[in-house]
Amino acid sequence: MERPSNNTADTAQSLLEEQRVWCAKIRDIAASRSKNPLAYVDTYGCQQNESDSEKLRGMLIEMGYGMTYDEYSADVVIVNTCAIREHAENRVLGNVGELVHTKKAKKSQVIVFCGCLAAVSKTVDKVRSSYEHVSLVFPPNKLWKFPELLYRALVDKKRIFETDDENAFVAEGLPTHRDHKVKAWLPIMYGCDNFCSYCIVPYVRGRERSRRAEAVISEASSLVAAQYKDITLLGQNVNSYTDPASNCASGGLSLRFPALLKKLSDISGDFLLRFMTSHPKDAGAELFEAMAQSGKIAKHIHLPFQAGSDRILKLMNRGYTAREYLDKINLARSLMPDIVITSDVIVGFPGETNEEVNETIALVEAAEFDAMFTFIYSARPGTPAAKLQDTVSKEEKHERFDRVVTLQNEISEKKHAQYIGKTLRVLVDSKAPGEAYPFKARSNGGRLVHLQAPPEQDGGNREMVGEFVFAKITQSNNWSLYGELYG
Ligand code: SAH
Ligand code: SF4
């Protein structure tokens, strides 16, 4: 593990070192058994949760566990949960409820409930009273403490409910087990200070904390050395990134996100850097220029706009107007004509009128996003928006959702059709089931490209995963492109 530079970091360091001792204790228990214990990690929600699960797997492997996808044979089942919308919450809780059967079949099984829902006190109370088969609950900011908590659950045989920590720190050096060999998640910051009025993230993930640039660069270099070709920098608002080491240097200039991107681009090797998510209020010329200047930064930005009405944007506490948003994407396109811009939008925010939905529709028409995720507003208890009267009926919300999605599908279809006949450099990232297009690849802008196998004389079904190749696009739809190997 690395040595951080201040007192708080030293405390964090010693807490993390203690966890190694707990890992070793569990490893001893595992070694005393006739066969390796198995763990199943089930992940819901966003890329940050996926990345957290890679750390849980890393810790489990260090504790002597093997991985399985079968809940019944698992000695430990971990459900890494998502709290972003009610629908996600209900799905998770339904599936956790079902685990009562696996626990019945295997009495010694330890069922773990972690992730964002484990930081919502009402949900934790429900787990405590109604899901007695769950033995261990801990919030995302206590991920680093998993070995100690698991040891106590295994040895004390008591139910453990770990609570959140106001002063969460950045846990460097946790082991990570990545399943994918080509694409990697690389968190650069945790938490969020934006408090968009509808969003639960700042409450469950805590205040913004950036990793030290040195640690990020070192991890990225190791990933490139290990042949990862597509690295996505993660943060709820990557534009808020500030290197804490540069921050405390007396009078020194803070190292912010565009500067971090430049430093990462200097790592030698053939790889692509992606990042998500950017907040429109903080994304600007400096970021777009850094993107335009580097051949290693993918020409793609995911820039959620959330609403087209200035009144709703204000109620959402987003910090920009529709005009300012459009000006930003116009600036990005003026610097990078081929940039892919994707976005998120919410329909049915409390009090949203029909005229205001039309303003969202007008923004979608003007912005011509390559792709967009549309969400129906979901009240999250404890957020300011949940106190607003929800005036939009369920039917209206669905009708608005359909209108927005239909429009975006038409735009995506049109944009994707413009690729037909063009040749793109793509990264083959996985094999796909099916004869016609046995490979999946991504363009520089992140478009999914279904790829035909090379002809027999060029190696037929050769292993192309992990290679950058040229693809001639022959077909498209609103979601993806189809192509053949070129040259
Ligand atoms: N930090 C990122 C991602 C947040 S969650 C960002 O700010 O863009 C991903 C998306 O979920 C958001 O962009 C938003 O569109 C949607 N979302 C968040 N809270 C929601 C809620 N309460 N109801 C519906 N959609 C929501
Ligand atoms: Fe939620 Fe807003 Fe933070 Fe994104 S920026 S995580 S939407 S509060």
Side-chain angles (χ1 to χ4, degrees):
M1 279 184 207
E2 300 150 274
R3 180 141 291 279
S5 55
N6 57 38
N7 282 343
T8 333
D10 280 344
T11 317
Q13 183 72 18
S14 64
L15 287 171
L16 292 172
E17 264 156 25
E18 274 174 29
Q19 293 308 309
R20 294 215 154 147
V21 179
W22 294 107
C23 268
K25 288 188 180 198
I26 297 186
R27 215 170 34 238
D28 288 345
I29 301 178
S32 68
R33 296 170 34 152
S34 55
K35 60 178 184 137
N36 264 9
L38 294 174
Y40 173 53
V41 183
D42 195 9
T43 313
Y44 295 80
C46 66
Q47 292 83 358
Q48 183 56 57
N49 260 16
E50 303 251 353
S51 167
D52 285 349
S53 284
E54 291 180 341
K55 296 208 160 70
L56 288 165
R57 289 196 186 95
M59 288 189 262
L60 283 160
I61 289 169
E62 205 156 300
M63 292 186 271
Y65 281 78
M67 295 297 131
T68 174
Y69 287 102
D70 169 32
E71 295 103 316
Y72 280 90
S73 55
D75 298 277
V76 172
V77 176
I78 300 187
V79 189
N80 191 1
T81 65
C82 171
I84 200 81
R85 282 170 289 275
E86 195 183 356
H87 178 71
E89 175 167 353
N90 291 342
R91 200 159 68 94
V92 173
L93 289 175
N95 289 352
V96 173
E98 286 298 305
L99 291 174
V100 77
H101 302 294
T102 63
K103 175 81 179 171
K104 241 187 210 148
K106 191 171 192 155
K107 294 269 180 309
S108 62
Q109 187 172 66
V110 172
I111 298 176
V112 182
F113 186 92
C114 61
C116 292
L117 278 174
V120 179
S121 53
K122 263 204 168 143
T123 311
V124 173
D125 289 345
K126 186 171 174 184
V127 172
R128 200 191 302 266
S129 58
S130 314
Y131 294 83
E132 279 185 31
H133 54 291
V134 173
S135 334
L136 169 56
V137 177
F138 63 88
N141 291 338
K142 289 291 180 68
L143 185 93
W144 57 272
K145 207 177 175 183
F146 175 53
E148 176 182 346
L149 298 171
L150 181 62
Y151 181 86
R152 284 174 32 212
L154 284 168
V155 173
D156 300 349
K157 300 205 164 34
K158 273 194 210 137
R159 298 180 81 201
I160 294 165
F161 291 83
E162 178 75 11
T163 49
D164 210 346
D165 192 340
E166 282 288 295
N167 303 310
F169 58 84
V170 173
E172 284 298 345
L174 296 181
T176 304
H177 176 76
R178 292 181 166 90
D179 270 340
H180 212 284
K181 300 283 173 264
V182 180
K183 298 193 284 191
W185 308 121
L186 175 46
I188 61 165
M189 59 179 298
Y190 301 95
C192 181
D193 286 351
N194 283 314
F195 290 95
C196 301
S197 67
Y198 50 83
C199 183
I200 201 165
V201 170
Y203 305 91
V204 294
R205 291 246 169 210
R207 301 287 56 75
E208 272 175 16
R209 284 106 50 209
S210 294
R211 291 179 68 191
R212 285 179 308 114
E214 199 190 331
V216 174
I217 295 165
S218 148
E219 189 172 345
S221 305
S222 313
L223 289 169
V224 173
Q227 300 300 314
Y228 283 91
K229 300 277 190 255
D230 184 314
I231 299 172
T232 303
L233 311 176
L234 293 181
Q236 293 299 339
N237 176 11
V238 288
N239 309 108
S240 292
Y241 176 85
T242 309
D243 177 13
S246 73
N247 224 12
C248 29
S250 52
L253 273 184
S254 294
L255 189 150
R256 313 247 326 148
F257 186 57
L260 177 72
L261 278 178
K262 281 189 197 148
K263 282 186 177 284
L264 291 168
S265 310
D266 287 342
I267 298 172
S268 58
D270 194 7
F271 65 94
L272 270 179
L273 281 172
R274 303 182 185 279
F275 55 88
M276 69 187 310
T277 302
S278 287
H279 194 300
K281 78 174 161 52
D282 304 318
E286 216 191 327
L287 170 67
F288 302 145
E289 278 157 14
M291 291 172 75
Q293 281 159 15
S294 165
K296 286 182 186 162
I297 306 173
K299 302 290 175 284
H300 171 208
I301 189 161
H302 184 66
L303 201 61
F305 75 98
Q306 313 298 7
S309 140
D310 290 343
R311 189 185 77 90
I312 299 284
L313 283 170
K314 203 159 187 202
L315 283 174
M316 288 178 162
N317 191 29
R318 289 291 289 180
Y320 54 86
T321 62
R323 184 68 260 156
E324 283 164 351
Y325 180 88
L326 287 170
D327 286 348
K328 294 227 168 163
I329 62 171
N330 288 338
L331 174 64
R333 283 185 174 135
S334 72
L335 292 168
M336 295 166 280
D338 57 348
I339 190 172
V340 166
I341 303 180
T342 56
S343 197
D344 292 346
V345 62
I346 297 175
V347 295
F349 189 81
E352 183 190 60
T353 63
N354 244 320
E355 289 69 46
E356 286 164 341
V357 184
N358 288 338
E359 290 182 84
T360 290
I361 300 249
L363 193 150
V364 173
E365 273 168 350
E368 296 212 305
F369 298 116
D370 295 76
M372 184 175 79
F373 296 99
T374 307
F375 301 104
I376 291 180
Y377 170 75
S378 167
R380 298 289 65 208
T383 60
K387 295 190 190 81
L388 301 173
Q389 208 191 338
D390 197 353
T391 49
V392 190
S393 73
K394 210 172 163 187
E395 292 69 35
E396 269 174 300
K397 283 182 188 169
H398 281 278
E399 186 269 331
R400 289 174 187 183
F401 175 87
D402 290 345
R403 277 172 65 199
V404 173
V405 169
T406 306
L407 169 63
Q408 181 56 46
N409 282 348
E410 284 166 18
I411 296 170
S412 296
E413 199 165 326
K414 190 180 91 188
K415 289 219 126 186
H416 284 167
Q418 289 165 358
Y419 286 102
I420 295 177
K422 290 192 177 152
T423 302
L424 304 178
R425 186 173 189 251
V426 300
L427 173 64
V428 184
D429 61 36
S430 53
K431 288 205 162 161
E435 294 279 296
Y437 294 91
F439 295 100
K440 281 187 188 171
R442 289 271 165 189
S443 70
N444 181 301
R447 304 299 76 213
L448 171 62
V449 182
H450 298 279
L451 207 56
Q452 287 178 358
E456 269 318 310
Q457 68 271 22
D458 295 342
N461 233 343
R462 78 169 202 268
E463 179 54 74
M464 296 201 297
V465 176
E467 284 180 33
F468 283 103
V469 298
F470 286 94
K472 185 164 182 193
I473 305 305
T474 51
Q475 284 181 58
S476 70
N477 57 29
N478 68 351
W479 199 243
S480 51
L481 310 175
Y482 294 79
E484 58 197 33
L485 221 56
Y486 187 79

